[in-house]
Amino acid sequence: EAQVTQNPRYLITVTGKKLTVTCSQNMNHEYMSWYRQDPGLGLRQIYYSMNVEVTDKGDVPEGYKVSRKEKRNFPLILESPSPNQTSLYFCASSLGGPWAQYFGPGTRLLVL
Amino acid sequence: DQQVKQNSPSLSVQEGRISILNCDYTNSMFDYFLWYKKYPAEGPTFLISISSIKDKNEDGRFTVFLNKSAKHLSLHIVPSQPGDSAVYFCAAYTGNQFYFGTGTSLTVIP
Protein backbone atom coordinates (compact mmCIF):
# COMPACT_ATOMS: atom_id res chain seq x y z
CA GLU A 1 0.00 0.00 0.00
CA ALA A 2 1.34 3.42 -1.01
CA GLN A 3 1.82 5.48 2.09
CA VAL A 4 3.71 8.09 4.05
CA THR A 5 4.39 7.16 7.65
CA GLN A 6 5.36 9.43 10.51
CA ASN A 7 6.55 8.63 13.99
CA PRO A 8 5.70 9.37 16.66
CA ARG A 9 2.08 10.36 16.19
CA TYR A 10 1.95 12.19 19.51
CA LEU A 11 4.78 13.70 21.49
CA ILE A 12 5.01 15.76 24.66
CA THR A 13 8.42 17.19 25.46
CA VAL A 14 10.07 20.01 27.37
CA THR A 15 11.81 23.11 26.14
CA GLY A 16 15.32 22.48 24.90
CA LYS A 17 15.18 18.69 24.66
CA LYS A 18 16.22 17.64 21.15
CA LEU A 19 13.76 15.52 19.23
CA THR A 20 13.37 13.91 15.82
CA VAL A 21 10.18 13.15 13.96
CA THR A 22 10.70 10.50 11.33
CA CYS A 23 9.03 10.38 7.93
CA SER A 24 9.19 7.58 5.41
CA GLN A 25 7.51 6.99 2.04
CA ASN A 26 7.34 3.82 -0.05
CA MET A 27 6.45 5.36 -3.42
CA ASN A 28 9.95 6.20 -4.65
CA HIS A 29 9.00 9.87 -4.66
CA GLU A 30 11.70 12.43 -5.23
CA TYR A 31 10.01 15.39 -3.53
CA MET A 32 9.42 15.38 0.23
CA SER A 33 8.29 18.15 2.49
CA TRP A 34 7.39 19.09 6.06
CA TYR A 35 4.48 21.31 7.07
CA ARG A 36 3.08 22.61 10.29
CA GLN A 37 -0.60 23.31 10.79
CA ASP A 38 -1.70 25.97 13.24
CA PRO A 39 -5.18 27.41 13.90
CA GLY A 40 -5.90 30.37 11.68
CA LEU A 41 -2.67 29.89 9.72
CA GLY A 42 -3.37 26.78 7.69
CA LEU A 43 -0.49 24.62 6.53
CA ARG A 44 2.92 26.24 6.24
CA GLN A 45 5.88 24.64 4.58
CA ILE A 46 8.93 24.23 6.81
CA TYR A 47 11.46 22.51 4.56
CA TYR A 48 11.38 20.58 1.34
CA SER A 49 13.70 18.24 -0.52
CA MET A 50 13.89 17.77 -4.26
CA ASN A 51 16.01 14.63 -3.99
CA VAL A 52 18.67 12.91 -1.90
CA GLU A 53 21.07 15.43 -0.33
CA VAL A 54 19.04 18.34 -1.76
CA THR A 55 17.05 20.31 0.80
CA ASP A 56 15.75 23.87 0.91
CA LYS A 57 13.92 26.20 3.26
CA GLY A 58 10.22 26.70 3.06
CA ASP A 59 8.24 29.51 4.60
CA VAL A 60 8.94 28.83 8.28
CA PRO A 61 12.32 27.04 8.65
CA GLU A 62 13.53 28.74 11.85
CA GLY A 63 14.20 26.27 14.65
CA TYR A 64 14.09 23.20 12.41
CA LYS A 65 16.60 21.03 10.60
CA VAL A 66 16.15 18.29 8.03
CA SER A 67 18.29 15.76 6.24
CA ARG A 68 17.76 13.57 3.19
CA LYS A 69 20.33 10.81 3.17
CA GLU A 70 18.04 8.24 1.58
CA LYS A 71 15.26 8.75 -0.91
CA ARG A 72 12.57 7.26 1.30
CA ASN A 73 13.34 9.08 4.56
CA PHE A 74 13.10 12.73 5.51
CA PRO A 75 13.40 13.30 9.27
CA LEU A 76 12.53 16.60 10.93
CA ILE A 77 14.85 17.63 13.75
CA LEU A 78 14.12 20.13 16.47
CA GLU A 79 17.45 20.67 18.20
CA SER A 80 16.12 22.94 20.95
CA PRO A 81 12.32 22.91 20.89
CA SER A 82 10.41 25.89 22.22
CA PRO A 83 6.72 26.26 23.14
CA ASN A 84 6.00 28.14 19.89
CA GLN A 85 6.81 24.94 18.03
CA THR A 86 3.80 23.26 19.57
CA SER A 87 1.85 22.30 16.49
CA LEU A 88 0.53 19.58 14.22
CA TYR A 89 3.19 18.45 11.77
CA PHE A 90 2.70 16.74 8.44
CA CYS A 91 5.19 15.09 6.16
CA ALA A 92 4.35 14.78 2.46
CA SER A 93 5.86 13.30 -0.67
CA SER A 94 5.28 13.56 -4.41
CA LEU A 95 6.85 12.93 -7.78
CA GLY A 96 8.05 16.52 -7.80
CA GLY A 97 6.93 19.67 -9.51
CA PRO A 98 3.34 20.73 -9.00
CA TRP A 99 2.08 17.18 -8.70
CA ALA A 100 -0.19 16.26 -5.83
CA GLN A 101 1.43 15.36 -2.57
CA TYR A 102 0.67 12.37 -0.41
CA PHE A 103 0.49 13.33 3.25
CA GLY A 104 1.31 11.35 6.35
CA PRO A 105 -1.17 11.09 9.23
CA GLY A 106 0.40 13.89 11.24
CA THR A 107 2.42 14.26 14.44
CA ARG A 108 0.96 16.29 17.24
CA LEU A 109 3.73 17.93 19.25
CA LEU A 110 3.40 19.71 22.57
CA VAL A 111 6.43 21.57 23.91
CA LEU A 112 6.15 22.54 27.58
CA ASP B 1 2.00 37.53 4.82
CA GLN B 2 -0.54 34.95 3.72
CA GLN B 3 -0.28 34.58 -0.06
CA VAL B 4 -3.24 32.20 -0.29
CA LYS B 5 -6.42 33.07 1.57
CA GLN B 6 -9.63 31.27 2.28
CA ASN B 7 -11.87 33.91 3.81
CA SER B 8 -14.71 31.61 4.84
CA PRO B 9 -13.71 29.47 7.83
CA SER B 10 -16.87 27.42 7.55
CA LEU B 11 -19.73 26.57 5.21
CA SER B 12 -22.94 24.58 5.68
CA VAL B 13 -24.86 23.12 2.76
CA GLN B 14 -27.86 20.84 2.41
CA GLU B 15 -27.25 17.41 0.94
CA GLY B 16 -27.80 17.42 -2.82
CA ARG B 17 -27.10 21.13 -3.20
CA ILE B 18 -23.99 22.77 -4.57
CA SER B 19 -21.04 23.62 -2.31
CA ILE B 20 -18.81 26.47 -3.43
CA LEU B 21 -15.51 26.97 -1.67
CA ASN B 22 -13.46 30.04 -2.48
CA CYS B 23 -9.79 30.88 -2.46
CA ASP B 24 -7.91 34.10 -3.24
CA TYR B 25 -4.21 34.55 -3.87
CA THR B 26 -1.82 37.44 -4.23
CA ASN B 27 1.22 36.05 -6.05
CA SER B 28 0.90 36.18 -9.84
CA MET B 29 3.82 33.74 -10.14
CA PHE B 30 1.72 30.80 -8.97
CA ASP B 31 1.47 28.38 -11.86
CA TYR B 32 -0.51 25.52 -10.40
CA PHE B 33 -3.35 25.26 -7.91
CA LEU B 34 -4.59 22.29 -5.94
CA TRP B 35 -7.41 21.45 -3.56
CA TYR B 36 -7.02 19.05 -0.66
CA LYS B 37 -9.58 17.56 1.66
CA LYS B 38 -8.84 16.77 5.29
CA TYR B 39 -10.73 14.63 7.76
CA PRO B 40 -10.00 14.88 11.50
CA ALA B 41 -6.95 12.94 12.69
CA GLU B 42 -5.82 12.29 9.10
CA GLY B 43 -3.46 13.97 6.68
CA PRO B 44 -4.83 16.01 3.76
CA THR B 45 -5.70 14.08 0.61
CA PHE B 46 -5.52 15.45 -2.90
CA LEU B 47 -8.79 16.26 -4.60
CA ILE B 48 -8.30 18.17 -7.83
CA SER B 49 -5.86 20.58 -9.45
CA ILE B 50 -5.65 23.14 -12.23
CA SER B 51 -2.85 24.67 -14.22
CA SER B 52 -2.67 28.44 -14.45
CA ILE B 53 -3.11 28.20 -18.23
CA LYS B 54 -6.59 26.75 -17.81
CA ASP B 55 -9.76 28.22 -16.35
CA LYS B 56 -11.66 25.05 -15.51
CA ASN B 57 -10.99 21.46 -14.56
CA GLU B 58 -13.61 18.86 -13.81
CA ASP B 59 -13.44 15.49 -12.09
CA GLY B 60 -16.76 13.84 -11.35
CA ARG B 61 -18.66 15.91 -8.81
CA PHE B 62 -15.74 18.30 -8.36
CA THR B 63 -14.97 21.28 -10.57
CA VAL B 64 -12.30 23.89 -10.00
CA PHE B 65 -12.55 27.30 -11.65
CA LEU B 66 -9.65 29.71 -11.98
CA ASN B 67 -10.00 33.44 -12.64
CA LYS B 68 -6.47 34.71 -13.09
CA SER B 69 -7.39 38.33 -13.54
CA ALA B 70 -9.17 38.30 -10.19
CA LYS B 71 -6.57 35.98 -8.61
CA HIS B 72 -9.43 33.80 -7.46
CA LEU B 73 -10.24 30.12 -7.62
CA SER B 74 -13.23 28.17 -6.48
CA LEU B 75 -14.14 24.54 -5.91
CA HIS B 76 -17.65 23.43 -6.78
CA ILE B 77 -19.05 20.19 -5.40
CA VAL B 78 -22.27 19.02 -7.06
CA PRO B 79 -24.22 17.35 -5.61
CA SER B 80 -22.90 17.64 -2.08
CA GLN B 81 -22.95 14.50 0.05
CA PRO B 82 -22.60 14.04 3.83
CA GLY B 83 -19.25 12.29 3.25
CA ASP B 84 -17.93 15.55 1.79
CA SER B 85 -17.99 17.07 5.27
CA ALA B 86 -14.34 17.91 5.91
CA VAL B 87 -11.86 20.78 5.91
CA TYR B 88 -10.83 21.88 2.43
CA PHE B 89 -7.51 23.54 1.74
CA CYS B 90 -6.51 25.29 -1.44
CA ALA B 91 -2.83 25.35 -2.30
CA ALA B 92 -0.71 27.16 -4.86
CA TYR B 93 2.64 26.17 -6.34
CA THR B 94 5.61 28.11 -7.62
CA GLY B 95 9.35 27.69 -7.47
CA ASN B 96 9.24 24.18 -5.94
CA GLN B 97 7.19 25.44 -3.01
CA PHE B 98 3.59 25.03 -1.99
CA TYR B 99 1.52 27.68 -0.24
CA PHE B 100 -1.66 26.68 1.52
CA GLY B 101 -4.74 28.59 2.58
CA THR B 102 -6.19 28.48 6.08
CA GLY B 103 -8.93 26.00 5.19
CA THR B 104 -12.72 26.00 5.01
CA SER B 105 -14.72 23.56 7.10
CA LEU B 106 -17.59 22.19 5.03
CA THR B 107 -20.60 20.59 6.69
CA VAL B 108 -23.11 18.83 4.47
CA ILE B 109 -26.42 18.46 6.26
CA PRO B 110 -28.40 15.29 5.45
Side-chain angles (χ1 to χ4, degrees):
Chain A
E1 180 193 353
Q3 60 182 352
V4 177
T5 56
Q6 296 179 228
N7 282 293
R9 294 289 311 277
Y10 303 92
L11 181 59
I12 301 174
T13 189
V14 294
T15 299
K17 186 175 181 183
K18 181 179 179 179
L19 67 92
T20 300
V21 184
T22 64
C23 173
S24 183
Q25 50 95 3
N26 62 0
M27 296 167 278
N28 202 36
H29 283 165
E30 295 194 342
Y31 188 97
M32 295 187 75
S33 184
W34 277 102
Y35 296 86
R36 60 179 289 174
Q37 183 187 358
D38 301 290
L41 296 174
L43 287 150
R44 292 179 293 167
Q45 195 169 35
I46 302 170
Y47 268 95
Y48 63 95
S49 170
M50 303 287 288
N51 212 325
V52 175
E53 302 292 0
V54 181
T55 63
D56 214 338
K57 295 177 181 178
D59 247 8
V60 288
E62 295 78 20
Y64 304 93
K65 280 178 59 175
V66 292
S67 69
R68 187 95 181 271
K69 293 183 169 50
E70 305 165 283
K71 198 170 188 179
R72 63 182 292 126
N73 296 322
F74 190 45
L76 179 70
I77 303 154
L78 285 72
E79 297 221 319
S80 184
S82 62
N84 65 11
Q85 292 178 298
T86 291
S87 188
L88 178 58
Y89 292 87
F90 290 100
C91 180
S93 74
S94 73
L95 291 168
W99 304 118
Q101 296 174 88
Y102 290 77
F103 281 81
T107 295
R108 190 167 289 279
L109 172 66
L110 173 61
V111 183
L112 300 172
Chain B
D1 191 29
Q2 198 86 19
Q3 298 189 56
V4 179
K5 296 179 183 178
Q6 293 175 258
N7 291 317
S8 298
S10 62
L11 175 68
S12 289
V13 170
Q14 287 289 135
E15 181 178 3
R17 298 289 187 105
I18 183 171
S19 294
I20 300 176
L21 294 95
N22 294 304
C23 181
D24 296 296
Y25 63 95
T26 57
N27 189 344
S28 58
M29 298 300 291
F30 289 141
D31 47 20
Y32 220 83
F33 301 90
L34 308 94
W35 284 93
Y36 287 85
K37 175 179 177 179
K38 185 183 181 303
Y39 292 120
E42 294 183 11
T45 54
F46 170 72
L47 206 51
I48 192 169
S49 62
I50 187 167
S51 164
S52 62
I53 63 172
K54 298 195 171 183
D55 54 20
K56 178 182 174 182
N57 188 28
E58 202 169 345
D59 184 2
R61 296 187 297 115
F62 303 91
T63 303
V64 57
F65 295 92
L66 175 62
N67 182 333
K68 281 187 70 176
S69 60
K71 293 192 174 70
H72 177 83
L73 68 154
S74 60
L75 173 68
H76 292 211
I77 307 173
V78 184
S80 301
Q81 300 173 354
D84 296 330
S85 297
V87 176
Y88 290 78
F89 290 97
C90 66
Y93 172 87
T94 186
N96 300 318
Q97 284 189 249
F98 291 90
Y99 299 84
F100 281 75
T102 50
T104 296
S105 178
L106 173 66
T107 302
V108 180
I109 304 162

